[in-house]
Amino acid sequence: MKQVVNEVFDQVMKVDLIVICMGEDIVGGIGGQGEMDVWGGVFGVIKGFYGKYGDCVIDVLLLESVYVGVVIGVVVCGMWFVVEFMFIDFMGVCFDQIFNQVVKFCYMFGGNVEMLVVIWVMVGVGFCVVVQYSQMLILLFMYILGLKVVCLSNVYDIKGFLFQFICDNDFVIFCEYKNLYVYECEVLEGFYIIFFGEVSIFCDGKDCMIVIYGLMVYCLFEVVSKFVKEGIEVEIVDLCMFLLLDMDIVFDSVIKIGCLVCVDEVSLCCNIVMDIFVQVVMYVFGVLKVQIEMVVLLYVLVFFLLMLEDFYIFSVDQIVNVVCKMMKGVW
Amino acid sequence: MVDNNLFFMLCDELFVVYRKMCIICEFEEWLYIDFGCGDILGFVYFYVGEEVMVIGIMFYLGDGDWIVSMYCGYGYCIVKGVDVIGMMKEIYGKKGGFCNGKGGLMYIVDLSKGMMGVNGIFGVGVFLICGVVLVVKFCGKGEVGIIFIGDGVCNQGIFLESMNLVVVWNFFVIFVVENNGYVEVILCDYGIVVESFVDCVVGFGMFGVSIDGIDLFVVYEVVGEMIKCVWQGGGFVLFECKMVCFYGYFEGDVQIYWVLGEFDDICENYDCIKIFMVQLIKFGVVSVDEIVVIDWEVIELIEMVVKEVKVVLQLIFVDLISDVYVNY
């Protein structure tokens, strides 16, 4: 994934458009006597960019509130901006700049400015970095009209969506799972776009439908293969984008299948899957063959130790049990 | 003591200055009336009594320079050359306002004039102006950014962060703290430790200058000296302007927290427009008749603007639900 993100930003910054990248340690070594450009971000994704693009890549001290504010001033003047936050957990500091300023500007300026900003931030558990670096806070941003929130499950989608983000004239928060850096998949060469609002159907099925997003999609492949042996076809719907969420594909699948399991990496209260649950009940309740099931987390914070972090997140068996329960209800 | 020669240096501009002061005052007087009648809804914050500082600073700035202000920002807009009709349309929520009627009272922006906006959130301008100046620097231009903030903002961490950023990144930003002694309806003495905000800047290696914000000529002279020094590469500057505000925190503020007689004292002794007018007449720069002519001209101008704006169409539902996103 590192290679893909690097390639996308490289291609965009090569084009004759003004793009600035800003973040903590996205260069590294600035101001010192030793080697410069030592980091390129937490995972070294844009290492080497400072040498290529110079002042278009700006390292900042730990002043999230300041640099998001600076970003707003820059984009109002018509430049494009990519802001790298290490973790979504750090965004509390700049919340005012986000929900009172940057998302409101397009509307409050009467459509006279475009917020050409992508905030690129890591989410989710992984690497045992404890609770303050491991939260799934995507939901906080879903309440804020004026921005778009994306969380993708695979590198192919990331490349296509990243090009879309850069071309889109709205404010986008691009959430990437930290653990996604260890996964690989094939991507197309060159430039391609996946349009906003497109929900992915990862695999087709006719017996049960699971709605999910992000890295959790990978654990479903095992679920699907277990049920294939028993003749049960499970459809996986990958949400991709939460604001604005395209429910049509979800409704089509529910109408086709009638059995819905929602999976989310948060606890059971005011979450994305609860939103889907409510909309399905409101609009297509009549087609449901059995009650909707949800697989969510406990009301607890992320555990620290490696083996316990695995207990924090739900397991394949948990999802399998829920699907079995649902199938029994149908039969 | 202001040098009398100053008058002759500024002679050509003094009529313009007085007229601008009157426009600000008359513009806000109309808002005061129409807000009282219910023609304008929301919160209205006035700048009356504080006109001198923004005019005194803008003397040295060009159209290409940028300002960000607080939400009592009509004065800044007028001095920056923003069209008064567009402003009034925005305030009344009409089509053709600078934000197409959607920004309203607390959000007037005209990027073509370098007016980044009146903003409804305390202190956010300290960042916006840094962003604008980053673009200016990136494009190799030499324009200046000026941020007008109130005394309450100096208590915020973002204020200190932005000063740090300005010095570290060598931005050409001028901070102007308009100190009227009140943070909303609380006295500064109650919640702010420093006696003067110029004390805040010492640690950042910035110059801090405290000015009597009531006398235009004092402002002009002091600001001029400092800005010349800064333009010659001499560092960064914060101006603290001691001034008064006539109408309290917002329109409707009954100001019962003021000391008995405080308002009368302000009207009598701290009316910056009156002080300026008396100075001009005393030194023979203008006559009383010329003052009266300007006064009436401004009154007629604003009356005409308001009449024109009131007949413009209001926004309709379709206008209001767009522009949340550029691409839906």
Side-chain angles (χ1 to χ4, degrees):
Chain A
M1 182 166 101
K2 203 159 107 172
Q3 194 184 337
V4 162
V5 176
N6 183 291
E7 180 197 323
V8 169
F9 284 136
D10 194 27
Q11 287 186 20
V12 167
M13 291 179 85
K14 264 187 205 152
V15 174
D16 190 21
L17 295 162
I18 307 294
V19 179
I20 296 184
C21 259
M22 185 186 276
E24 297 157 4
D25 303 320
I26 63 164
V27 178
I30 291 273
Q33 302 298 317
E35 192 184 324
M36 293 250 277
D37 202 4
V38 294
W39 269 35
V42 171
F43 288 108
V45 173
I46 57 168
K47 193 168 178 346
F49 273 40
Y50 184 70
K52 276 193 215 174
Y53 302 109
D55 290 340
C56 286
V57 184
I58 304 175
D59 228 340
V60 282
L61 297 170
L62 303 176
L63 307 165
E64 285 91 353
S65 48
V66 172
Y67 67 81
V68 174
V70 166
V71 162
I72 303 168
V74 169
V75 297
V76 167
C77 295
M79 292 179 79
W80 286 4
F81 223 108
V82 175
V83 184
E84 192 261 3
F85 271 79
M86 286 186 186
F87 304 110
I88 200 169
D89 319 71
F90 299 167
M91 290 182 78
V93 183
C94 61
F95 232 43
D96 183 68
Q97 281 74 42
I98 291 177
F99 70 65
N100 271 327
Q101 304 301 324
V102 70
V103 301
K104 305 286 189 285
F105 269 38
C106 181
Y107 186 82
M108 292 176 77
F109 277 52
N112 293 325
V113 296
E114 293 170 344
M115 290 288 111
L116 310 165
V117 184
V118 174
I119 286 188
W120 160 36
V121 66
M122 278 195 279
V123 298
V125 300
F127 303 102
C128 292
V129 289
V130 204
V131 58
Q132 286 172 327
Y133 294 4
S134 303
Q135 297 172 89
M136 276 301 287
L137 296 175
I138 295 175
L139 197 65
L140 288 179
F141 299 98
M142 281 183 64
Y143 293 123
I144 307 172
L145 282 183
L147 60 82
K148 295 176 177 171
V149 185
V150 184
C151 183
L152 302 169
S153 61
N154 63 87
V155 182
Y156 177 90
D157 283 354
I158 284 173
K159 183 173 179 181
F161 269 104
L162 264 180
F163 278 124
Q164 166 63 22
F165 302 155
I166 307 289
C167 299
D168 195 86
N169 296 337
D170 285 305
F171 174 37
V172 177
I173 295 185
F174 164 47
C175 304
E176 58 174 17
Y177 264 85
K178 7 175 142 40
N179 268 334
L180 207 53
Y181 280 97
V182 304
Y183 286 84
E184 294 180 350
C185 85
E186 288 190 6
V187 298
L188 298 177
E189 290 274 346
F191 175 86
Y192 63 90
I193 283 185
I194 298 177
F195 290 99
F196 277 139
E198 289 187 4
V199 168
S200 293
I201 306 236
F202 249 76
C203 52
D204 283 309
K206 60 177 178 55
D207 298 306
C208 179
M209 171 195 169
I210 302 179
V211 168
I212 200 164
Y213 63 90
L215 196 63
M216 298 176 284
V217 169
Y218 286 94
C219 71
L220 287 194
F221 292 147
E222 208 176 318
V223 171
V224 168
S225 58
K226 276 191 183 182
F227 281 110
V228 157
K229 291 174 194 163
E230 295 172 30
I232 298 172
E233 291 178 25
V234 177
E235 180 158 301
I236 302 176
V237 175
D238 179 4
L239 288 176
C240 302
M241 181 162 154
F242 309 104
L243 203 66
L244 308 149
L245 181 60
D246 178 10
M247 284 297 294
D248 289 340
I249 295 182
V250 174
F251 289 150
D252 287 344
S253 287
V254 172
I255 290 168
K256 182 179 82 175
I257 298 172
C259 298
L260 173 62
V261 177
C262 300
V263 181
D264 200 351
E265 195 186 317
V266 289
S267 53
L268 181 70
C269 188
C270 300
N271 54 37
I272 295 161
V273 292
M274 190 61 79
D275 197 44
I276 293 173
F277 175 105
V278 167
Q279 290 198 56
V280 165
V281 165
M282 276 174 64
Y283 297 113
V284 292
F285 177 75
V287 307
L288 291 171
K289 296 174 188 168
V290 69
Q291 78 168 41
I292 301 171
E293 291 289 340
M294 289 213 246
V295 180
V296 293
L297 300 181
L298 301 169
Y299 273 120
V300 69
L301 300 174
V302 179
F303 308 139
F304 169 50
L305 296 171
L306 179 62
M307 61 286 278
L308 295 181
E309 194 176 69
D310 290 338
F311 276 106
Y312 170 77
I313 203 78
F314 36 70
S315 62
V316 167
D317 287 337
Q318 222 175 323
I319 301 177
V320 165
N321 290 340
V322 166
V323 173
C324 287
K325 178 184 161 193
M326 171 167 272
M327 291 290 97
K328 280 185 190 149
V330 171
W331 297 327
Chain B
M1 175 70 178
V2 176
D3 186 350
N4 286 347
N5 288 329
L6 214 53
F7 290 94
F8 300 101
M9 282 161 31
L10 301 177
C11 209
D12 289 342
E13 294 156 321
L14 290 172
F15 281 94
V16 173
V17 166
Y18 181 72
R19 190 170 181 275
K20 273 188 191 166
M21 283 186 182
C22 290
I23 289 175
I24 296 171
C25 188
E26 188 59 27
F27 185 94
E28 296 201 341
E29 291 290 336
W30 261 106
L31 297 187
Y32 173 80
I33 293 168
D34 275 1
F35 183 77
C37 297
D39 288 349
I40 299 173
L41 300 175
F43 292 123
V44 179
Y45 301 90
F46 289 128
Y47 197 61
V48 172
E50 301 177 340
E51 295 90 342
V52 152
M53 192 63 211
V54 64
I55 292 179
I57 291 208
M58 297 297 199
F59 259 113
Y60 299 97
L61 303 171
D63 284 346
D65 297 313
W66 295 84
I67 66 171
V68 183
S69 74
M70 303 176 288
Y71 40 77
C72 48
Y74 314 125
Y76 311 105
C77 296
I78 289 168
V79 175
K80 202 66 177 66
V82 174
D83 176 45
V84 171
I85 296 178
M87 283 173 61
M88 203 59 98
K89 282 180 184 169
E90 191 57 43
I91 290 168
Y92 279 81
K94 299 287 184 92
K95 290 190 185 199
F98 278 109
C99 299
N100 291 327
K102 291 180 179 177
L105 290 165
M106 290 199 284
Y107 229 105
I108 298 176
V109 175
D110 185 358
L111 298 177
S112 67
K113 294 280 189 225
M115 181 61 197
M116 278 285 290
V118 180
N119 197 297
I121 301 292
F122 255 11
V124 73
V126 293
F127 297 143
L128 297 188
I129 203 67
C130 290
V132 172
V133 174
L134 175 62
V135 174
V136 165
K137 206 171 169 187
F138 198 82
C139 297
K141 298 180 185 173
E143 287 129 4
V144 174
I146 307 100
I147 171 67
F148 291 90
I149 49 181
D151 27 36
V153 175
C154 299
N155 250 359
Q156 293 188 318
I158 54 174
F159 172 61
L160 301 175
E161 288 175 28
S162 63
M163 285 200 292
N164 181 72
L165 200 71
V166 161
V167 175
V168 163
W169 284 359
N170 200 24
F171 283 163
F172 201 170
V173 172
I174 297 170
F175 291 86
V176 181
V177 179
E178 296 182 316
N179 183 1
N180 61 14
Y182 289 93
V183 178
E184 295 192 2
V185 295
I186 301 170
L187 266 77
C188 285
D189 290 346
Y190 176 79
I192 298 177
V193 138
V194 292
E195 294 244 348
S196 167
F197 298 110
V198 304
D199 298 334
C200 296
V201 308
V202 171
F204 295 100
M206 290 174 67
F207 292 113
V209 181
S210 197
I211 316 176
D212 172 11
I214 305 295
D215 189 323
L216 174 78
F217 296 105
V218 168
V219 171
Y220 178 82
E221 192 175 10
V222 173
V223 168
E225 279 170 20
M226 288 309 304
I227 286 191
K228 207 188 306 180
C229 175
V230 171
W231 268 332
Q232 286 164 0
F236 310 90
V237 67
L238 175 140
F239 294 112
E240 180 196 18
C241 310
K242 307 263 180 151
M243 47 180 49
V244 295
C245 179
F246 275 48
Y247 286 133
Y249 175 46
F250 62 94
E251 172 44 31
D253 177 4
V254 294
Q255 296 166 267
I256 54 177
Y257 51 90
W258 282 24
V259 170
L260 199 63
E262 187 173 344
F263 180 71
D264 294 330
D265 178 48
I266 284 174
C267 290
E268 184 62 35
N269 301 309
Y270 297 97
D271 183 341
C272 59
I273 296 182
K274 200 158 90 177
I275 291 170
F276 182 63
M277 181 181 68
V278 164
Q279 285 171 323
L280 293 184
I281 293 172
K282 183 179 168 187
F283 290 100
V285 177
V286 291
S287 66
V288 173
D289 291 339
E290 282 167 325
I291 292 284
V292 170
V293 165
I294 295 174
D295 287 348
W296 276 109
E297 192 221 341
V298 167
I299 288 171
E300 281 169 8
L301 167 71
I302 302 298
E303 204 175 303
M304 183 225 24
V305 163
V306 173
K307 268 192 194 146
E308 182 180 324
V309 165
K310 282 190 174 181
V311 299
V312 171
L313 291 172
Q314 204 79 36
L315 294 181
I316 55 177
F317 180 72
V318 166
D319 300 322
L320 293 169
I321 60 175
S322 60
D323 300 321
V324 176
Y325 295 96
V326 175
N327 299 308
Y328 280 80

